[in-house]
Amino acid sequence: MTPAATVPDILRECGQKGIKRAIIQSAGFREYSESGLQLENELNEIAAEYNMRFIGPNGIGAINMENGLCLPFIKFKKFIKKGDVSIITQSGGVGLSSINLMTNEGIGLNKMVSVGNMVNTNAEDVLEYLIEDPGTKTIFLYLEGLRDGRRLMEIAKRSLKPILAFKSNIGVLGQKIAASHTASITSDDSVVDTAFEQAGIIRIHDGTALASNLKTLELPPMKGRNLAIISRSGGHAIMAADACEIYGFNLVELSESFLKDIEKHFKASVIKLTNPLDLGDLFDLKVYAQIIEQTLQLKEVDGIVLLHTAFSDEENEASRELLKGLVESVKKYNKPVTYFLASSAEEVSYLKQNFDFPIFTRVVETIRALEINHKNYLSHEDLKLVDKIPSFNADKEKVRDLIEVAKSENRDLLLSEAIEVLECYGIPAVKSAIACNVEELKEAAEKIGYPIAFKVIAEAISHKSDIGGVQLNIRNAKGAESAYNVMMEKIFKVYPDAVIDGVLVQPMVNSGHEIIVGGRQDEQFGPVVVVGLGGIFVEIFKESEVRVAPITKVAAINMVESLRGYQILKGSRGHKPYDVESLVDAILKISQLLVDFPEIAELDINPLRVLHEGQGCLALDGRIILN
Amino acid sequence: MTPAATVPDILRECGQKGIKRAIIQSAGFREYSESGLQLENELNEIAAEYNMRFIGPNGIGAINMENGLCLPFIKFKKFIKKGDVSIITQSGGVGLSSINLMTNEGIGLNKMVSVGNMVNTNAEDVLEYLIEDPGTKTIFLYLEGLRDGRRLMEIAKRSLKPILAFKSNIGVLGQKIAASHTASITSDDSVVDTAFEQAGIIRIHDGTALASNLKTLELPPMKGRNLAIISRSGGHAIMAADACEIYGFNLVELSESFLKDIEKHFKASVIKLTNPLDLGDLFDLKVYAQIIEQTLQLKEVDGIVLLHTAFSDEENEASRELLKGLVESVKKYNKPVTYFLASSAEEVSYLKQNFDFPIFTRVVETIRALEINHKNYLSHEDLKLVDKIPSFNADKEKVRDLIEVAKSENRDLLLSEAIEVLECYGIPAVKSAIACNVEELKEAAEKIGYPIAFKVIAEAISHKSDIGGVQLNIRNAKGAESAYNVMMEKIFKVYPDAVIDGVLVQPMVNSGHEIIVGGRQDEQFGPVVVVGLGGIFVEIFKESEVRVAPITKVAAINMVESLRGYQILKGSRGHKPYDVESLVDAILKISQLLVDFPEIAELDINPLRVLHEGQGCLALDGRIILN
């Protein structure tokens, strides 16, 4: 408990004594002030000098339930239970309250590391340790920022253990200002979403609701989406069925003979049997256990939601027996059952402390938990598939030259250069020529063939079409001349001092569907590739999909199919389908380009015209911004 | 506890004895079988004969904590606390588990009515009673279906008490098949959403998570969206700030002088002060109380989220004192504070039972609860405004005639008749003529003036454009003739037996933005009016807004502004704005038309072309389906 200013000297003394590991809990470093940041740098230097490693500062240290190490400077009301969940947290408070939540829910801790400012040891370092740590079965990660997103992904992909992450701080990160379209339609937080998914990390959005999720991850995997709901209350059954609809689970149809078998147990026969199975008519809980076992035996059932209500004390014993049987059945049939109980707080608490099994007190969460369990299963299955990143031949030398020239002139790539880069990577682009005056324009148009379109080339002008900088559908030399004059007049009205490098002349392309493809360098995850519907869709609806590059073909197809407008591309209501194959190809090539050239900060093809099936696609405009 | 078949005789005996009120808990009626439905009808007849009223069947009866009546056939573990929340529930199980939840959270019950099959007394009847009932302050409604949505709305609008409703069964209702576009883009559940909102009913989506919401509704109203977050843990503060971003609350900037005042209490000064206010540096909880009071005094603060952590037993006393002070401050300043506590389950439980104040154990829910509180405040303010439903002159006689003729011929309205109906209500539509052969077509085109468009009129053909039934941009007589022949050839290929009533000839309109306006009769709420973006937007994105008719001008404007594509209409990125005023006018007229003629089952104007500002709008196509 020593102030920040005193820490460097103390650390040095430790070094001199030959101490190799330190945990620094003091605050008042980078998170507080400029001079605090300097103190932090000093700590790193001292650590290097004495070959030390340290955790912190601005954390609450570490807990290891295996050897009894417990460093947080706060007393707990209850002993922490030893178990197999380990926590990495950037906030001491969240770490402690996570342990508190786990204790309340009867979930045991294995290790906790409060990484604080992550100066010498960051979250990725600790994660790398925990995925190999024999005592840890499940990992919970609380992060406010990331140091090295790519490394986090790489480590997580290697993990056979479920990793649950709560990444906060979505707002501040989302506020960055972007120069290109692709950058503006992908917040940093959407990159976090996709990066976690690509790495098999399960992202949750309320760190204080994690407890039941942790327990559900230790249930057997939900391998498919076929669910049976068994409920003592018809109302709870309907709530669960609604949640199934929202989360996309199927309520399997149960066979006549199966239902008849169950009806035999009923006395009054006043409830119609179906799935959800409303057992409101049944008062012997031993029969419940039989029905659950019978249902688990069904091949078509991947998992069960059991909604139990027990309001009378006299049922406690039978209820607990039911749960005991349930725990065994789950093990025996290796299928998950999420168990909701409406009962007194005391009874729920007793069960949580005495059964190593998730007890839910909210209906919707039983379904959400199965969704998380299923997602975890799927992503580990996906990661098992060795799906190679495709590689394309590209004229890298030429691209390198174009970038070098632009860099030496301290500018971004020109429109024509950007088109050249795309062509070097085999992305079809319209034939184009540059013209610096009306005569050159007419000459170029003659070569390309009317009708043509032309656009101004000028660094300072971003949204060209808004100020008349794009002229379409020019049919002859006379039209070209007047369009050129109109364009220049308009531009100089808005930008009197514009430096114009000429106009880019292209053939007029009317067919195809407008798509935007591009990417950018993300601060935390490196190159990301983006696809979206062009035109109004990108401007107003910001419909897009993003992935951390490089990506596999399966991932590129998934990006396209995930677009809300995919129906248009595949040909809706009798319209001809578009060439999705060529779009997928273009995405993969952009993915490779961004990985090959980290100098490219942002890249836009807007639009890429995707023609009808079999006819490929065509980049009409390109924009490459260097960093 | 008597079987369904015996109930009619027993009810009759009651009638004969002069008993006027009955509660029937037996099941096995409509919900079970056809013969059960007959038994239900018999019950109603008996009740009419003896002038009785009854509740049920298929419910668990009623509880009245004021006079000790408690009819459910299930024993509770704990005594139910008497309080001021009353429950109306269609499911006995949900009713009981709601009471159980409330008991666990220390929330008192006033009355509970399990309305079951709602044969003689429905949820609306009970609601009408409760909104006047002096013992009831807050009402919770659990519904699986609705009998009379309009009456529910009317009663709720009169209520000065908050009504929280959980309406389940979203899936089954959403599966209905619709003939028109407007019907297909508005699920019945979206109508429930808007109807509840229009009536000031707060809809929640997990009946098992209602407890903290109930308590928050009894806090003072959150009158604005300006929030201060006070937290003992930086991590919790960030989580709450993220949730603020999602729910759209503002974190007000706290003044320098205010923050300096607070910093005086700090010993170490290692935390930067801002909003969220991270008080991790402060260990004296009395100072917390002072800071909360100071913050509540700020005019710019509408409410506070307090995120407290207390892990050590030694802090219990001080923590409870803090809460006591908080309860008083909330009363004194009449502003809401939601209080999150990370502590042992025992301590949380103690506070819930001993403080009549909401205790949250999840950070995100502190924000969500304030959102619910704020929404409740706003909707009661809205309902106070007497905003009149506008009324338009319309040629109702003519509309009545058109509908009568169609009805007598057992068909829906023809395209041309639908257009006439719109014109009767003052909705501008393109001038049109009907032609039955090529000669008539050319004649009509001459009158209207080229360029023209024409569409086939044929009852059996729904999506006309898909089979060549729409011909656009015809410039002269020759073009008209060949287009007509092509159209007929295509149609007879797909529909060899099509009965074609002719073609509707219209001038070609290229300008304006395509909007779809229409409505339908909802089974539960009667006429609803719908607006959406036309073309691809309605087909692929299903972007639309729906309201229960009739609506006010404010509501019509709100519908348009709520569309995700509203930016396009108001003129985005330098484009000219469209005539939103005329669109609002058309929506209001459709609203009136649907209320005037309940015979209209579905109505589509697809598209309504909204022209540039000042130029109005124009219906290009109309479709009216009768019931």
Side-chain angles (χ1 to χ4, degrees):
Chain A
M1 306 298 271
T2 174
T6 67
V7 174
D9 281 345
I10 297 173
L11 190 66
R12 186 170 290 112
E13 286 178 65
C14 290
Q16 284 160 355
K17 293 258 185 210
I19 293 169
K20 293 291 174 205
R21 302 284 182 267
I23 288 178
I24 303 169
Q25 301 193 15
S26 308
F29 290 88
R30 175 205 344 221
E31 82 289 356
Y32 184 63
S33 67
E34 201 50 45
S35 60
L37 176 61
Q38 284 188 359
L39 283 174
E40 245 182 50
N41 293 336
E42 221 178 301
L43 294 183
N44 246 349
E45 283 158 24
I46 296 163
E49 191 184 333
Y50 293 97
N51 198 21
M52 301 168 81
R53 293 294 301 270
F54 64 89
I55 290 172
N58 190 27
I60 52 159
I63 298 174
N64 183 344
M65 295 299 292
E66 291 187 25
N67 62 15
L69 179 85
C70 184
L71 300 175
F73 55 82
I74 274 156
K75 276 195 225 167
F76 282 89
K77 280 182 197 163
K78 261 195 190 175
F79 285 114
I80 302 168
K81 190 172 159 184
K82 185 182 155 186
D84 48 30
V85 174
S86 290
I87 297 175
I88 305 169
T89 179
Q90 238 180 307
S91 151
V94 171
L96 292 175
S97 81
S98 300
I99 293 174
N100 176 64
L101 272 171
M102 284 164 56
T103 307
N104 289 347
E105 298 277 329
I107 300 173
L109 178 76
N110 195 273
K111 299 180 182 69
M112 196 242 349
V113 181
S114 167
V115 288
N117 288 3
M118 307 197 292
V119 173
N120 187 273
T121 307
N122 59 30
E124 293 86 41
D125 296 324
V126 183
L127 183 64
E128 190 155 39
Y129 172 83
L130 289 178
I131 65 168
E132 304 286 350
D133 174 43
T136 299
K137 257 197 194 166
T138 310
I139 299 162
F140 172 60
L141 207 53
Y142 173 72
L143 295 170
E144 287 163 10
L146 287 162
R147 277 298 142 78
D148 185 348
R150 268 192 185 245
R151 191 169 155 232
L152 183 76
M153 287 177 75
E154 181 264 314
I155 297 166
K157 279 183 187 169
R158 279 175 10 222
S159 171
L160 297 173
K161 302 168 186 173
I163 302 171
L164 208 66
F166 179 58
K167 162 77 180 67
S168 67
N169 229 341
I170 56 167
V172 185
L173 284 171
Q175 282 164 6
K176 262 202 334 187
I177 291 147
S180 70
H181 270 118
T182 41
S184 72
I185 57 177
T186 58
S187 71
D188 292 309
D189 198 60
S190 67
V191 175
V192 173
D193 265 342
T194 190
F196 281 13
E197 199 170 329
Q198 285 176 260
I201 298 170
I202 299 153
R203 187 172 187 186
I204 57 170
H205 288 277
D206 183 355
T208 45
L210 87 158
S212 42
N213 293 326
L214 284 172
K215 274 194 182 173
T216 309
L217 281 168
E218 298 193 354
L219 288 179
M222 174 92 182
K223 290 183 181 169
R225 304 199 73 88
N226 289 333
L227 204 62
I229 297 173
I230 300 176
S231 180
R232 202 173 192 182
S233 146
H236 290 143
I238 290 177
M239 285 189 206
D242 279 356
C244 275
E245 175 123 339
I246 289 163
Y247 286 95
F249 283 111
N250 311 317
L251 289 173
V252 275
E253 209 170 313
L254 300 171
S255 70
E256 276 297 316
S257 63
F258 177 81
L259 293 175
K260 278 227 172 100
D261 237 38
I262 286 174
E263 205 170 2
K264 280 183 199 149
H265 301 298
F266 283 31
K267 278 184 187 152
S269 272
V270 289
I271 297 177
K272 250 192 246 174
L273 289 184
T274 170
N275 180 14
L277 209 48
D278 179 351
L279 303 186
D281 209 2
L282 209 62
F283 294 86
D284 182 354
L285 294 183
K286 278 185 191 147
V287 180
Y288 271 71
Q290 279 175 44
I291 292 174
I292 293 161
E293 180 137 4
Q294 276 174 273
T295 312
L296 282 168
Q297 282 165 5
L298 297 174
K299 265 188 197 158
E300 61 268 34
V301 170
D302 298 311
I304 293 179
V305 170
L306 177 62
L307 307 168
H308 187 37
T309 47
F311 297 116
S312 154
D313 261 340
E314 284 155 36
E315 275 196 328
N316 275 358
E317 214 38 63
S319 247
R320 291 176 190 179
E321 279 306 312
L322 174 66
L323 185 54
K324 251 183 226 163
L326 183 65
V327 174
E328 276 162 36
S329 297
V330 163
K331 265 188 212 145
K332 185 168 165 194
Y333 295 100
N334 199 38
K335 292 179 184 175
V337 178
T338 47
Y339 175 75
F340 162 89
L341 177 65
S343 189
S344 69
E346 293 71 25
E347 181 63 14
V348 169
S349 183
Y350 172 86
L351 296 177
K352 281 177 175 175
Q353 296 305 328
N354 291 283
F355 285 82
D356 191 18
F357 197 84
I359 315 285
F360 290 87
T361 52
R362 300 195 183 176
V363 170
V364 173
E365 286 179 2
T366 59
I367 310 287
R368 196 184 299 146
L370 282 181
E371 170 65 16
I372 287 176
N373 175 301
H374 181 56
K375 239 173 131 176
N376 181 54
Y377 168 76
L378 285 183
S379 71
H380 281 87
E381 288 299 298
D382 276 358
L383 290 172
K384 274 188 213 156
L385 300 172
V386 190
D387 183 17
K388 271 193 195 152
I389 307 288
S391 134
F392 302 90
N393 287 327
D395 188 347
K396 286 192 200 179
E397 285 315 302
K398 195 166 170 191
V399 174
R400 165 109 22 242
D401 288 348
L402 286 164
I403 289 176
E404 287 309 320
V405 169
K407 269 177 133 177
S408 72
E409 295 173 7
N410 203 20
R411 59 167 175 85
D412 297 321
L413 294 192
L414 300 174
L415 194 52
S416 54
E417 293 169 333
I419 294 276
E420 261 189 278
V421 168
L422 297 179
E423 285 174 333
C424 288
Y425 270 76
I427 296 169
V430 289
K431 295 275 161 278
S432 57
I434 295 172
C436 292
N437 53 46
V438 173
E439 289 318 308
E440 283 184 28
L441 168 64
K442 287 195 275 193
E443 214 170 284
E446 216 58 57
K447 262 191 212 154
I448 287 169
Y450 288 101
I452 57 138
F454 63 90
K455 305 169 207 198
V456 68
I457 309 172
E459 249 189 285
I461 304 173
S462 248
H463 292 305
K464 296 180 283 287
S465 61
D466 287 1
I467 52 142
V470 181
Q471 298 285 330
L472 301 173
N473 230 351
I474 309 295
R475 296 176 183 283
N476 49 44
K478 206 176 140 191
E481 185 162 343
S482 82
Y484 184 88
N485 292 333
V486 166
M487 176 193 282
M488 292 304 155
E489 198 180 308
K490 275 194 180 171
I491 288 174
F492 285 109
K493 218 184 232 169
V494 183
Y495 296 92
D497 306 318
V499 178
I500 292 181
D501 300 309
V503 294
L504 187 80
V505 195
Q506 298 180 328
M508 185 67 207
V509 180
N510 270 320
S511 55
H513 197 82
E514 287 202 351
I515 294 286
I516 175 169
V517 179
R520 63 176 171 86
Q521 290 289 331
D522 183 80
E523 225 174 90
Q524 290 151 343
F525 292 98
V528 299
V529 60
V530 179
V531 62
L533 262 62
I536 209 112
F537 297 99
V538 57
E539 283 169 32
I540 309 287
F541 294 103
K542 302 197 190 297
E543 282 297 335
S544 68
E545 287 290 322
V546 60
R547 299 288 184 278
V548 176
I551 55 170
T552 62
K553 188 168 180 182
V554 170
I557 292 171
N558 176 270
M559 282 180 87
V560 176
E561 291 184 349
S562 302
L563 286 174
R564 268 181 86 200
Y566 175 59
Q567 284 178 65
I568 303 169
L569 290 176
K570 74 173 185 199
S572 61
R573 282 191 56 198
H575 294 288
K576 264 197 267 181
Y578 291 94
D579 199 328
V580 172
E581 180 82 28
S582 74
L583 171 60
V584 166
D585 193 64
I587 294 169
L588 289 169
K589 284 168 175 170
I590 292 296
S591 158
Q592 182 177 325
L593 170 61
L594 290 165
V595 173
D596 289 346
F597 293 95
E599 301 95 321
I600 299 179
E602 296 180 26
L603 183 154
D604 258 354
I605 306 178
N606 186 19
L608 179 82
R609 287 268 189 165
V610 181
L611 306 174
H612 284 302
E613 214 167 45
Q615 298 175 19
C617 64
L618 209 48
L620 298 194
D621 195 356
R623 193 169 148 77
I624 291 177
I625 296 166
L626 302 179
N627 55 17
Chain B
M1 305 297 271
T2 174
T6 68
V7 174
D9 283 345
I10 297 173
L11 190 66
R12 186 171 289 113
E13 287 178 64
C14 290
Q16 285 160 354
K17 294 256 184 212
I19 293 170
K20 292 291 172 206
R21 302 285 181 265
I23 288 177
I24 302 169
Q25 300 193 14
S26 307
F29 291 87
R30 174 202 348 219
E31 82 288 356
Y32 184 62
S33 67
E34 202 50 45
S35 60
L37 175 62
Q38 285 189 357
L39 284 174
E40 246 182 49
N41 293 337
E42 220 177 301
L43 295 183
N44 246 349
E45 285 158 22
I46 296 163
E49 191 184 335
Y50 293 97
N51 198 22
M52 301 168 80
R53 293 294 300 270
F54 65 87
I55 289 171
N58 191 27
I60 52 159
I63 299 174
N64 183 344
M65 295 299 292
E66 290 186 28
N67 63 15
L69 180 85
C70 183
L71 300 177
F73 55 80
I74 274 155
K75 275 195 226 167
F76 282 89
K77 280 182 195 162
K78 260 195 192 177
F79 285 114
I80 302 169
K81 191 173 158 184
K82 186 180 154 189
D84 48 30
V85 174
S86 290
I87 298 176
I88 304 170
T89 180
Q90 238 180 306
S91 152
V94 171
L96 292 174
S97 83
S98 300
I99 294 175
N100 176 64
L101 272 171
M102 285 164 54
T103 307
N104 289 347
E105 297 278 328
I107 299 174
L109 177 76
N110 196 272
K111 299 179 182 70
M112 197 247 340
V113 181
S114 167
V115 288
N117 288 4
M118 307 196 293
V119 173
N120 187 272
T121 308
N122 60 29
E124 293 86 41
D125 297 322
V126 183
L127 183 64
E128 191 156 38
Y129 171 82
L130 289 178
I131 66 168
E132 303 287 350
D133 174 44
T136 300
K137 258 197 192 166
T138 310
I139 298 162
F140 172 60
L141 207 53
Y142 173 73
L143 295 171
E144 287 162 9
L146 288 163
R147 276 296 142 79
D148 186 349
R150 271 197 179 241
R151 190 168 156 231
L152 182 77
M153 287 177 74
E154 181 264 314
I155 297 166
K157 278 183 187 170
R158 277 172 13 219
S159 171
L160 298 173
K161 302 168 186 173
I163 301 171
L164 208 67
F166 178 58
K167 162 76 182 67
S168 67
N169 228 343
I170 56 168
V172 184
L173 284 172
Q175 282 164 5
K176 261 203 332 188
I177 291 147
S180 71
H181 270 117
T182 41
S184 72
I185 57 178
T186 57
S187 71
D188 292 307
D189 198 60
S190 69
V191 175
V192 173
D193 264 343
T194 189
F196 281 13
E197 198 168 329
Q198 284 176 261
I201 298 171
I202 300 152
R203 187 172 187 186
I204 57 170
H205 288 277
D206 183 355
T208 44
L210 88 159
S212 40
N213 293 326
L214 284 173
K215 275 194 181 173
T216 309
L217 281 168
E218 298 193 355
L219 288 180
M222 175 92 181
K223 290 183 181 169
R225 305 199 72 89
N226 289 332
L227 204 62
I229 297 172
I230 301 176
S231 180
R232 203 173 192 181
S233 146
H236 290 142
I238 290 177
M239 283 185 206
D242 279 357
C244 274
E245 175 124 339
I246 289 164
Y247 286 95
F249 284 112
N250 312 316
L251 290 173
V252 275
E253 209 172 311
L254 301 171
S255 71
E256 276 297 315
S257 62
F258 177 81
L259 293 175
K260 278 227 172 97
D261 237 39
I262 287 173
E263 204 169 5
K264 279 182 200 149
H265 301 299
F266 282 30
K267 276 184 190 155
S269 272
V270 291
I271 297 178
K272 250 193 247 173
L273 288 184
T274 171
N275 182 12
L277 209 49
D278 179 351
L279 302 185
D281 210 1
L282 209 61
F283 294 86
D284 181 353
L285 294 183
K286 279 184 190 149
V287 181
Y288 272 70
Q290 280 175 43
I291 292 174
I292 293 160
E293 180 135 6
Q294 277 173 272
T295 312
L296 282 168
Q297 282 166 7
L298 296 175
K299 265 189 197 156
E300 61 267 33
V301 170
D302 298 311
I304 294 179
V305 169
L306 177 62
L307 307 168
H308 187 37
T309 46
F311 298 116
S312 155
D313 262 339
E314 284 155 36
E315 274 195 329
N316 275 359
E317 215 37 64
S319 247
R320 290 174 191 180
E321 279 306 312
L322 173 66
L323 185 54
K324 253 183 225 164
L326 184 66
V327 173
E328 277 163 35
S329 297
V330 164
K331 266 188 211 146
K332 186 170 165 191
Y333 296 99
N334 199 38
K335 290 178 184 176
V337 177
T338 47
Y339 175 75
F340 161 89
L341 177 65
S343 190
S344 69
E346 291 72 24
E347 181 62 13
V348 169
S349 183
Y350 173 86
L351 297 177
K352 282 179 175 174
Q353 296 304 330
N354 291 283
F355 284 82
D356 191 19
F357 197 83
I359 316 285
F360 291 86
T361 51
R362 301 197 182 174
V363 170
V364 174
E365 285 179 2
T366 59
I367 310 286
R368 198 184 297 147
L370 283 180
E371 170 66 16
I372 286 176
N373 176 303
H374 181 55
K375 240 173 131 176
N376 181 53
Y377 168 76
L378 285 184
S379 70
H380 281 87
E381 289 298 298
D382 275 359
L383 291 172
K384 276 187 211 158
L385 298 172
V386 190
D387 183 16
K388 271 193 193 150
I389 306 289
S391 132
F392 302 91
N393 288 327
D395 189 347
K396 286 193 200 178
E397 285 315 303
K398 196 166 171 191
V399 174
R400 162 104 28 238
D401 288 347
L402 286 164
I403 289 176
E404 286 308 321
V405 169
K407 269 177 132 176
S408 72
E409 294 173 7
N410 203 22
R411 59 167 175 84
D412 296 321
L413 294 194
L414 300 175
L415 194 51
S416 54
E417 293 169 332
I419 294 276
E420 261 188 278
V421 168
L422 299 179
E423 284 175 335
C424 288
Y425 270 76
I427 296 169
V430 289
K431 295 275 159 277
S432 56
I434 295 171
C436 292
N437 52 48
V438 174
E439 288 318 309
E440 284 183 26
L441 168 64
K442 287 195 274 193
E443 214 171 283
E446 216 58 55
K447 263 190 211 153
I448 287 168
Y450 288 102
I452 57 139
F454 62 92
K455 305 170 209 198
V456 68
I457 308 173
E459 249 189 287
I461 304 172
S462 247
H463 291 306
K464 295 180 285 286
S465 62
D466 287 1
I467 52 140
V470 181
Q471 298 287 330
L472 301 172
N473 232 350
I474 310 295
R475 296 174 183 284
N476 49 43
K478 207 178 141 190
E481 184 162 345
S482 82
Y484 184 88
N485 292 333
V486 167
M487 176 193 279
M488 292 304 155
E489 197 180 309
K490 275 194 179 170
I491 287 176
F492 284 110
K493 217 183 234 168
V494 183
Y495 296 93
D497 307 319
V499 178
I500 291 181
D501 299 308
V503 295
L504 187 80
V505 195
Q506 299 180 327
M508 184 68 207
V509 180
N510 271 319
S511 56
H513 198 83
E514 287 202 351
I515 294 287
I516 174 168
V517 179
R520 63 176 171 86
Q521 290 288 332
D522 183 81
E523 225 174 272
Q524 289 150 343
F525 292 97
V528 299
V529 60
V530 179
V531 62
L533 261 62
I536 209 113
F537 297 98
V538 57
E539 284 169 30
I540 309 288
F541 294 103
K542 302 198 191 297
E543 283 298 334
S544 69
E545 286 291 322
V546 60
R547 299 288 183 279
V548 177
I551 56 170
T552 63
K553 189 168 178 182
V554 170
I557 291 171
N558 176 271
M559 282 180 86
V560 175
E561 291 183 351
S562 302
L563 286 174
R564 267 180 88 200
Y566 175 60
Q567 283 177 67
I568 303 170
L569 290 175
K570 74 173 184 200
S572 62
R573 283 190 56 198
H575 294 289
K576 265 197 267 181
Y578 292 95
D579 200 329
V580 172
E581 180 82 29
S582 73
L583 171 58
V584 166
D585 194 63
I587 294 169
L588 289 170
K589 284 167 175 170
I590 291 297
S591 159
Q592 183 176 326
L593 170 61
L594 290 165
V595 172
D596 289 346
F597 293 95
E599 301 95 321
I600 298 178
E602 297 181 26
L603 183 155
D604 258 354
I605 307 178
N606 187 18
L608 179 82
R609 287 268 189 164
V610 181
L611 307 174
H612 284 302
E613 214 167 46
Q615 296 175 20
C617 63
L618 210 48
L620 297 194
D621 196 356
R623 194 168 149 78
I624 292 178
I625 296 167
L626 302 179
N627 55 16

